[in-house]
Every structure is written in structure tokens, then in C-alpha cells.
Amino acid sequence: MPRFDYVRAHSVAEAVQLLGDPEILSRPLGGGTDVLVFVRHEKPPYDRLVDISRVPEMKIIERHGGEIVVGAAVTYTEAAESPVLQEAAACLVEACLSVGGPAIRNAGTLGGNVANAAACADSLPSLVCLDAVAHLCSRSGERALLVSDLVTGANRTALQRGELITHFTFPVPPAGVRSAFTKLGRRNAQAISRLSMAAAGRLDAQGCVDFVRLSPGAATSQPRRFTEVEAMLLGQEPTDELLAAAGSQTAEVMIGMTGRRWSTEYKEVAIQALAERTLRRALAG
Amino acid sequence: MLIQFTVNKKSVAVEAPADITLLDLLRDYLGLTGAKEGCAVGECGACSVLMDGRLVNSCLVLAPQADGSEILTIEGVHAPDGGLNDLQENFITYGAVQCGICIPGMVLAGEALLLETLTPTRAEIRTALAGNLCRCTGYQQIVDAIEATAQQRRNQ
């Protein structure tokens, strides 16, 4: 007897009907890179996997005017190879390229990364940095939530039973904004993030910061923009001193949220350097 | 459930449970034992196969997900006469094979790269192999073998 059943969805409408079936408890299956690891050791808390990895509507990466739309079944490889994202969301492309190795990137999806909501999920800081909104669909309708509100903690989301992340949208950053992502792992490939950082920024004609975003990964239980740090940078010239101060402020905000833990001694200095370096890349004139 | 796909250019239809991996389907139902189970969690690459031209870890693909796709395993990588192909010959020439357990995956990761480009840098070759672990060779010889094959295929 198989421990669970499998069915392939061919459209969002079909997926939502299958996922919302009151008779059969179902979960979405994307690239399988988290689900397959889980079901190997645990008794799955569902009776059926609904494969959404080939739903055409969920594979798109498009620019619609001032907005980018990225389907939830887009793989890390597809995201990284997308000219649309390379132009508008370098931080997301860099984050996708930092995931696992080629075989993981060919399978794992952005929707899966967000729904699984691991504290170390590599796409989260970049999506949050871009102010990405997750669009959810279920039998009872559609709703949209900021990714930073959808992820409520490590491996916890506001997703309800039968709800599917169909796609993400985010505003095209203003002209001239650059973004960057840095990951700190134990090695380059196949590494789990110890800490990561996404930043975006732009300098005005006077060389002062007129746009800035900062979003650390694996630092706080709920991903968020560190607006306290953004505020101290805005309107200022990004001198070495200011960027160092921004690094210190980033560490302070993190510790303010998490308290001091066994790992803080390491993370405090590491996040300072990571914030400083990532901001430097994003703000490089 | 019935799972139908193409493996090494041959159409197959296999009756198998829905909850097994593509790796188990290949090994236990089709007798294709070239892909190995190393870590079973997508970290070692010993189970690498190409799915619709892209390298994947077959231990992380649910068997029915392969339905309708084209799978290439190491058994499908060979010269037209059935012998070793140029990449496999180069693995031997450059001393890239020791214990051998990672080699089917390494060859497929190499083929996946060479499908994309015949002018890879050494850094690109290393990136292409980043999900395939080898505890014997230290990788140098494997990179050499892929680099030499790229060069030979360029000149063909």
C-alpha cells in the first residue's frame, strides 16, 4: 500500500479543486527537494500529493508594466536564467544561484522554498527585499500577502489548508537601483545558509543614498526588511564609517528581535560584515 | 499506478506504487542500477540522471513525476557501437575513476554541462559538478576529463 497517492494538476483551477477536496487531505508537490526528504523519514500528514510542477500558468516569468510576475513553480535555474529577473532582480538571481548544486536548482521551486519556509531559505531575503507579494488561491477564493507576512516563523506560514501559492509579484525597482545577495555557508556548494543578506540601493547625483532596502536571511524567525537600518542610510553619503555603522545597527536590530543566544557571538560579527559588504555592492556607483 | 515515460530513448510503461522515488523505479523496476543511492537526500549526486535534458537527483523525484518525461541514465550514455563514449574514455585516460560509485553521476553532470556549452571554463566545470561528491579523486582528474572532452567535441 503506498503511503500516499499522487495526482498531477494541469491548471491552477484543477490544482485548487484537488487541494481543497474535503475527502482527501492533499498537499502540493513542486520540485520535491524538501517533500521527498521529509517523506523518507516521516509519516506524511497527508493522503495525496498534488503535483503542480508542470502547471503552465505557474511557470511564467513576465514583466507587466511596472510589475514582475514570477510563477510559484519556477525553478531556481529558470529564475536564474531569466533575462527579466537578471535585469530587475539581481538579488533574487544571485540567491537562486546559491541554492544547493545544479540538480537541486533544476528541481526546487520558489513557491516551494517559501511554503517550506525554512529559516535558512535562500530566496526569502531577496523576495522580502523586493517587497514581493505571494498570491494564494483556494476553493474559497484568492488572497495576496506580502512574503514577509506569509512566513510567520521557521517552517511556519499563514497558508491555510487547501491554499496554493500560485505566483509572486513585485514592483520593478526604480531605474538605476542595483541589488545584491550574499550568503554565508560552510562551503560554496550544497551549503545551508548560516546567514544571508539581500540589499538594494541607489545613489542620487550628489552621491547620497536615495533608495535602499536591506533584508537579512536566517537571522530572525520571520523575514523582514530592516527598515531601521534603511532609515539611517537614506539621504546620507555611503562612507566606510556609515556602512560600518549600518552593519552594527543590523546586528543590534537582529539581537533586539532574537535575544542573545548560543550563536549570537558568531552571528553578531558575521551579520555586521555581511550587511556592510552587501550594501557596498548594492550602492556601488 | 501506471507510469509511462522514455528512458534512454526507449518508451516504458511501469506499474509501480505512487510513493516511490524515480531512483527506486529505475533500479528496482527497470533494472537500471547505474544510478546509485548514496545519501538519499540530494546531497551526493550519486543518483544523478537527466530529466528532459536537465540534471536532477533521482532520489528527490517522485516516480510518477517522471510520467511523460525523457530520462537519460548512465546506461544510455555510450558510443554508437555500444562501447564507451568520448567522455567515458577520457575519464579513464585522465585517471578520473577510483572506487567508481560517484562516476555515473559525474559523467551525467559532465554531459549535462556539455549539452549547454562546449567552451566551459574550469570554474564552470566545477560549478556543474558542485552537487556531485567524490571522496577518492579530489576532482582534479574529473575536471580534466570533462575539459578535454569539451575541447575534442569543439574540434569535431
Side-chain angles (χ1 to χ4, degrees):
Chain A
M1 253 305 268
R3 295 166 302 155
F4 51 84
D5 200 1
Y6 167 96
V7 61
R8 184 178 293 176
H10 301 89
S11 67
V12 167
E14 186 187 4
V16 164
Q17 282 308 310
L18 290 163
L19 287 165
D21 189 337
E23 306 289 313
I24 310 171
L25 187 54
S26 304
R27 288 279 174 80
L29 171 66
T33 53
D34 287 313
V35 171
L36 273 278
V37 174
F38 179 84
V39 299
R40 183 173 175 82
H41 296 294
E42 311 280 336
K43 185 177 159 17
Y46 40 80
D47 303 314
R48 180 171 68 182
L49 286 172
V50 177
D51 184 356
I52 48 85
S53 65
R54 297 184 189 211
V55 172
E57 308 134 83
M58 294 176 66
K59 302 287 291 177
I60 59 164
I61 305 174
E62 288 170 4
R63 181 177 171 158
H64 294 156
E67 192 173 69
I68 307 275
V69 183
V70 184
V74 164
T75 66
Y76 303 111
T77 300
E78 288 161 350
E81 289 177 352
S82 155
V84 172
L85 295 180
Q86 286 167 1
E87 172 160 5
C91 62
L92 185 58
V93 168
E94 290 175 10
C96 288
L97 287 174
S98 81
V99 175
I104 298 290
R105 293 196 287 273
N106 287 340
T109 63
L110 290 175
N113 202 224
V114 172
N116 190 53
C120 56
D122 286 315
S123 72
L124 281 180
S126 295
L127 288 171
V128 170
C129 178
L130 294 162
D131 272 346
V133 170
H135 296 260
L136 317 180
C137 192
S138 69
R139 280 189 180 195
S140 38
E142 295 176 14
R143 63 184 181 127
L145 277 178
L146 276 172
V147 169
S148 52
D149 292 330
L150 176 64
V151 177
T152 53
N155 297 112
R156 283 188 320 184
T157 66
L159 277 169
Q160 284 164 8
R161 190 175 154 178
E163 224 169 19
L164 175 69
I165 306 177
T166 56
H167 61 286
F168 302 96
T169 54
F170 59 86
V172 176
V177 169
R178 287 169 187 249
S179 68
F181 171 84
T182 319
K183 169 167 164 175
L184 194 61
R186 290 197 175 155
R187 53 189 178 269
N188 284 335
Q190 304 282 78
I192 305 292
S193 282
R194 263 41 196 179
L195 273 174
S196 62
M197 190 72 62
R202 184 177 70 177
L203 301 180
D204 63 17
Q206 284 70 49
C208 294
V209 177
D210 75 348
F211 182 97
V212 65
R213 299 270 180 78
L214 188 72
S215 170
T220 54
S221 59
Q222 190 172 14
R224 65 188 276 268
R225 278 171 52 195
F226 276 25
T227 46
E228 304 87 335
V229 183
E230 295 171 8
M232 74 178 279
L233 289 162
L234 211 56
Q236 307 293 312
E237 193 187 335
T239 57
D240 289 349
E241 293 73 33
L242 182 69
L243 292 176
S248 305
Q249 174 79 2
T250 307
E252 254 178 60
V253 174
M254 174 186 73
I255 294 165
M257 295 180 70
T258 61
R260 289 204 164 263
R261 308 175 178 190
W262 63 272
S263 60
T264 305
E265 199 178 336
Y266 163 74
K267 285 200 167 181
E268 185 173 9
V269 278
I271 201 170
Q272 279 179 29
L274 217 52
E276 199 179 322
R277 285 178 205 168
T278 315
L279 283 166
R280 199 181 293 279
R281 280 173 56 216
L283 293 169
Chain B
M1 66 184 294
L2 188 67
I3 304 169
Q4 292 177 283
F5 59 109
T6 306
V7 61
N8 303 330
K9 298 188 176 149
K10 215 175 78 189
S11 295
V12 292
V14 197
E15 191 57 44
D19 65 341
I20 65 167
T21 63
L22 173 60
L23 176 63
D24 287 341
L25 187 73
L26 293 171
R27 292 181 58 88
D28 300 343
Y29 289 76
L30 293 167
L32 298 169
T33 54
K36 307 285 189 280
E37 182 169 280
C39 68
V41 291
E43 286 181 2
C44 76
C47 67
S48 298
V49 301
L50 299 199
M51 185 167 173
D52 296 325
R54 297 261 204 196
L55 191 73
V56 295
N57 294 306
S58 62
C59 74
L60 295 185
V61 176
L62 200 64
Q65 281 189 294
D67 192 273
S69 68
E70 271 184 43
I71 304 292
L72 179 71
T73 72
I74 192 64
E75 287 86 352
V77 178
H78 50 71
D81 67 359
L84 301 180
N85 80 356
D86 51 350
L87 179 59
Q88 292 163 321
E89 286 288 359
N90 278 329
F91 265 68
I92 297 171
T93 306
Y94 286 86
V97 182
Q98 288 190 33
C99 91
I101 193 166
C102 73
I103 297 301
M106 287 290 180
V107 170
L108 284 163
E111 289 290 2
L113 173 68
L114 296 174
L115 279 176
E116 278 176 35
T117 173
L118 288 182
T119 53
T121 62
R122 285 184 75 84
E124 285 167 346
I125 296 173
R126 289 183 171 277
T127 302
L129 299 178
N132 295 74
L133 303 191
C134 171
R135 301 290 79 165
C136 303
T137 63
Y139 303 101
Q140 207 66 29
Q141 300 87 336
I142 296 173
V143 175
D144 292 345
I146 295 172
E147 193 178 35
T149 309
Q151 193 172 13
Q152 289 159 7
R153 289 189 189 178
R154 275 204 304 276
N155 296 335
Q156 272 169 15

